[in-house]
Amino acid sequence: MTYKIAVIKGDGIGPEIINEGIKVLKKVGEKFSVKFEFNEVLAGGAAIDAVGECLPYETLEVCKNSDAVYLGAVGGPKWDDLKGEERPEKALLKLRKELDLFANIRPVIMYDELKDACPLKDEIVQGGLDIVIVRELTGGIYFGERSYSDEYAWDKMEYSKVEVERIAKKAFEIAGKRNKKVTSIDKSNVLDSSRLWRKTVESMKEEYKDIELNHMYVDNGAMQLVVNPKQFDVILTGNMFGDILSDEGSIITGSLGMLPSASLGEGNLGMYEPVHGSAPDIAGQNKANPIATILSAAMMLKYSFGLMEEGEAVENAVKKALKDGIRSNDIAKKDEKSYGTYEIGDKISKYI
Ligand code: NAD
């Protein structure tokens, strides 16, 4: 069987980090005798420059006919003056919607080797951290109607019961394979859409009797994440709250450059990308940390292809590199040599 991967390198550091991810995947292919077919297509700023639109029809068709989509990052100052609909980032929202990728899975893992890079006190993160944030991705305020004038603007936030049920199901299932605890985060003391969210999640409790469920308001959740992060196993939340909480979670791990993500729908097709953006400030300088992108490939192997051993091999190779002090500038210890994007990719593929 050949696994078809649509590759969108994107803008800024996107091409540099995706190249390292592909390097590692090719090594996995060799070691485990698995065949991957990489089909490169354009989206984001690169697509605007080439064909005048952020998500060309061909890109969408190739993605729809693939087993997984592997994406770097899109956007950058060059396209910042474009209107909302025309911006590179719109390609991501369209891809998620068109492929019906409603669940965004973001592991927040603090590797023991990176304890020094974590801004929280030692006693708070003692023994490491391992949280999964399950964020609803195709509904809520980012997809609601909106209107803008210089005097008055509004955005509509809405959720249906069906939308909440399908994302909650993912969270319960993931928790079932982990420490069996789901914390659903909303703002039901103020928002009606959150009241429906909480009622729907609560109504599913009976189906997942072995999972402990609790609820938190988002303001408290944001605070708990830095005061007592070890209480969390799986965090279930909506689109906007998940966007904010996962960036907060990312910094606990030491750097945005460490965090992978998967966007999943009902079937096996998924989109895999680092949580961070295109980092225009360090683009083209061989400074970007490729680990978030490489760990996203590990998630692809596990979630879309069911290749668990291969996925673990990638994760173990990353751990070994960190242990050996192979670190980019964002996670290097003070006064220690830091490694470039290519060197880190080389080392990790060597360790597969
Ligand atoms: P960013 O994540 O690109 O960068 C924030 C900071 O983190 C920068 O200082 C950057 O150098 C650093 N950083 C990010 N990734 C890193 C890595 N792998 N290694 C080392 N350092 C890293 O966020 P931003 O600056 O707010 O956004 C830049 C552009 O990216 C914008 O156009 C934004 O819209 C876009 N963006 C795209 C995505 C995506 O494609 N999924 C996500 C977020 C932002």
Side-chain angles (χ1 to χ4, degrees):
M1 147 129 205
T2 301
Y3 297 100
K4 283 180 27 191
I5 304 173
V7 176
I8 300 174
K9 292 187 176 176
D11 310 313
I13 58 170
E16 296 168 71
I17 52 179
I18 285 287
N19 286 345
E20 299 316 304
I22 291 177
K23 192 188 277 175
V24 172
L25 280 170
K26 283 185 173 163
K27 190 63 183 287
V28 168
E30 272 169 37
K31 280 271 166 187
F32 292 86
S33 304
V34 187
K35 283 204 182 114
F36 301 116
E37 179 187 308
F38 299 97
N39 296 306
E40 195 177 332
V41 280
L42 293 177
I48 294 173
D49 288 353
V51 295
E53 55 177 324
C54 65
L55 186 66
Y57 175 77
E58 189 216 339
T59 299
L60 193 55
E61 284 303 295
V62 170
C63 291
K64 279 183 179 166
N65 292 305
S66 297
D67 299 305
V69 180
Y70 195 30
L71 182 129
V74 296
K78 185 176 177 191
W79 305 279
D80 270 354
D81 292 335
L82 294 176
K83 278 197 236 103
E85 274 302 306
E86 297 163 13
R87 289 174 66 89
E89 294 84 352
K90 199 72 195 175
L92 293 181
L93 300 187
K94 283 186 187 164
L95 264 172
R96 289 167 185 163
K97 197 80 185 174
E98 287 285 334
L99 302 176
D100 206 13
L101 304 174
F102 60 84
N104 189 228
I105 317 294
R106 297 186 175 193
V108 176
I109 297 172
M110 200 200 75
Y111 293 93
D112 229 27
E113 291 78 10
L114 290 186
K115 230 175 29 208
D116 303 340
C118 173
L120 301 184
K121 284 187 192 140
D122 270 3
E123 59 260 36
I124 293 178
V125 290
Q126 196 71 40
L129 275 182
D130 184 354
I131 304 168
V132 173
I133 299 182
V134 177
R135 165 190 169 196
E136 201 289 326
L137 202 58
T138 52
I141 197 162
Y142 292 173
F143 286 93
E145 283 172 40
R146 66 195 56 190
S147 166
Y148 179 88
S149 77
D150 284 343
E151 297 301 320
Y152 177 70
W154 55 267
D155 301 274
K156 186 172 169 188
M157 177 148 163
E158 55 190 333
Y159 268 117
S160 69
K161 188 174 172 214
V162 172
E163 280 176 312
V164 182
E165 275 170 350
R166 63 181 189 171
I167 188 72
K169 184 167 178 270
K170 287 265 182 220
F172 281 119
E173 284 172 358
I174 290 172
K177 294 183 193 138
R178 294 171 42 93
N179 294 322
K180 303 197 168 19
K181 184 176 176 189
V182 170
T183 304
S184 175
I185 295 190
D186 61 42
K187 189 69 187 169
S188 57
N189 50 343
V190 179
L191 303 173
D192 273 337
S193 53
S194 277
R195 276 192 269 279
L196 177 68
W197 179 282
R198 188 174 286 214
K199 190 176 164 196
T200 306
V201 175
E202 189 61 25
S203 74
M204 295 169 74
K205 210 164 62 175
E206 282 301 296
E207 266 176 78
Y208 299 93
K209 282 204 174 74
D210 57 331
I211 312 282
E212 181 190 341
L213 170 69
N214 68 333
H215 302 272
M216 242 178 226
Y217 299 136
V218 63
D219 37 356
N220 182 32
M223 185 182 72
Q224 294 296 330
L225 204 49
V226 289
V227 173
N228 182 15
K230 287 171 95 58
Q231 70 185 290
F232 297 112
D233 177 26
V234 173
I235 291 177
L236 161 66
T237 190
N239 203 343
M240 180 168 63
F241 299 152
D243 191 7
I244 299 166
L245 292 173
S246 52
D247 262 28
E248 186 187 0
S250 75
I251 207 62
I252 297 175
T253 68
S255 169
L256 262 177
M258 293 296 300
L259 278 186
S261 80
S263 303
L264 309 173
E266 298 285 6
N268 287 337
L269 172 64
M271 183 157 92
Y272 299 84
E273 55 179 316
V275 166
H276 59 73
S278 62
D281 52 333
I282 55 166
Q285 300 170 34
N286 194 31
K287 279 189 186 162
N289 184 349
I291 292 182
T293 312
I294 291 170
L295 289 173
S296 301
M299 291 184 85
M300 181 196 299
L301 294 169
K302 287 181 165 180
Y303 286 78
S304 277
F305 307 158
L307 300 172
M308 307 313 271
E309 196 188 343
E310 289 80 349
E312 265 161 40
V314 174
E315 288 163 0
N316 288 335
V318 167
K319 278 186 206 153
K320 179 157 171 48
L322 291 173
K323 209 168 182 181
D324 289 356
I326 316 295
R327 298 173 188 195
S328 46
N329 199 33
D330 54 319
I331 52 171
K333 285 187 191 156
K334 265 198 191 117
D335 309 321
E336 245 184 29
K337 169 180 163 39
S338 64
Y339 288 76
T341 314
Y342 314 128
E343 289 80 16
I344 297 171
D346 279 351
K347 280 281 182 203
I348 292 172
S349 48
K350 203 181 116 201
Y351 289 158
I352 295 287

